[in-house]
């Protein structure tokens, strides 16, 4: 479906990979477009999301399409959604409500049929309570929440992941290792994996 999805989980649990899997399994014909809200300076996030028209601000020498527009017929994945500034939260809420937006400096209303998947490692409910995140946006995003457990909470996956990575590394190095030793596996199964799968 096109239901808005939010992925909750610690850093490194694979939220981006899950978002990509949902996109490719959904049958969307457009692109999977990803933006990390925490890695883009506050002053640029709005132009990255919405795009801009030539002359919208000094340095805008030509039109630029934003991530929302690039995700037409596809999926826009906003990682670390909890990092959006209050001003951008208001504008993104309007996109979710109206399925339309305007480029910075533009007059035309642009319709979007992109599917939105967001992710965070923060407790958005707590952020709402503390005044750091809009409650109305929270409810628009929290339509279908999925919590991805930390790797230490799903130790039964560790051996399969380790074997997959071992095979991949062996292929790259031209080596052959048949299986993990019992001692190696024991070490992996007792490790806390603070970075999770990453």
């Amino acid at each position: 479906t096109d239901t808005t999805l939010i992925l909750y989980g610690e850093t490194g649990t694979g939220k981006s990979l899950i978002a990509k899997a949902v996109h490719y399994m959904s049958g969307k014909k457009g692109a999977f477009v990803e933006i990390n809200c925490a890695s883009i300076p506050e002053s640029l996030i709005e132009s990255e999301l919405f795009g801009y028209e030539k002359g919208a601000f000094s340095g805008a020498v030509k039109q630029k399409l934003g991530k929302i527009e690039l995700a037409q017929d596809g999926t826009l994945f906003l990682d670390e959604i909890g990092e959006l500034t209050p001003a951008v939260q208001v504008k993104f809420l309007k996109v979710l409500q109206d399925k339309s937006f305007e480029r910075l400096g533009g007059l035309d209303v642009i319709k979007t049929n992109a599917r939105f998947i967001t992710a965070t490692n923060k407790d958005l409910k707590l952020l709402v309570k503390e005044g750091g995140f809009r409650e109305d946006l929270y409810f628009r995003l929290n339509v279908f929440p999925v919590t991805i457990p930390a790797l230490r909470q799903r130790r039964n996956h560790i051996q399969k992941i380790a074997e997959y990575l071992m095979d991949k590394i062996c292929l790259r190095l031209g080596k052959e290792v048949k299986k993990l030793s019992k001692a190696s596996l024991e070490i992996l199964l007792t490790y806390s994996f603070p970075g999770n799968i990453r």
Side-chain angles (χ1 to χ4, degrees), residues 12 17 45-46 52 68 76 84 121 144 170-171 191 198:
L17 289 174
I45 190 77
E46 197 172 342
Y52 53 80
I68 297 169
L76 177 60
L84 285 182
N121 60 12
F144 196 95
C170 285
L171 185 65
Y191 185 63
R198 189 178 294 137

Side-chain angles (χ1 to χ4, degrees), residues 11-27:
T11 298
T13 51
K15 296 183 291 290
S16 178
L17 289 174
I18 289 172
K20 283 179 190 162
V22 168
H23 167 74
Y24 290 116
M25 292 175 71
S26 72

Side-chain angles (χ1 to χ4, degrees), residues 142-156:
N142 208 49
V143 175
F144 196 95
V146 176
T147 300
I148 304 161
L151 188 54
R152 68 186 168 279
Q153 296 170 312
R154 47 186 167 128
R155 294 194 179 277
N156 58 324

Side-chain angles (χ1 to χ4, degrees), residues 116-159:
F116 298 101
I117 300 177
T118 59
T120 184
N121 60 12
K122 294 186 174 185
D123 182 344
L124 288 187
K125 207 178 227 181
L126 182 63
L127 277 178
V128 167
K129 196 181 252 187
E130 294 171 347
F133 202 80
R134 292 183 62 93
E135 187 175 32
D136 46 5
L137 179 57
Y138 168 75
F139 287 118
R140 283 277 177 181
L141 295 175
N142 208 49
V143 175
F144 196 95
V146 176
T147 300
I148 304 161
L151 188 54
R152 68 186 168 279
Q153 296 170 312
R154 47 186 167 128
R155 294 194 179 277
N156 58 324
H157 293 178
I158 292 171
Q159 184 173 352

Side-chain angles (χ1 to χ4, degrees), residues 42-73:
E42 190 176 317
S43 59
L44 296 178
I45 190 77
E46 197 172 342
S47 64
E48 281 296 309
L49 277 174
F50 301 102
Y52 53 80
E53 296 292 346
K54 179 181 177 180
F57 49 85
S58 60
V61 293
K62 63 179 185 175
Q63 182 189 70
K64 180 185 180 221
L65 303 184
K67 302 289 188 190
I68 297 169
E69 201 165 348
L70 293 172
Q72 187 71 0
D73 299 320

Side-chain angles (χ1 to χ4, degrees), residues 158-159 162 166 177 179-191 193:
I158 292 171
Q159 184 173 352
M166 183 181 69
V177 178
K179 66 178 198 168
L180 288 166
S181 70
K182 205 171 189 178
S184 297
L185 191 54
E186 202 171 295
I187 290 167
L188 289 172
L189 292 173
T190 56
Y191 185 63
F193 289 98

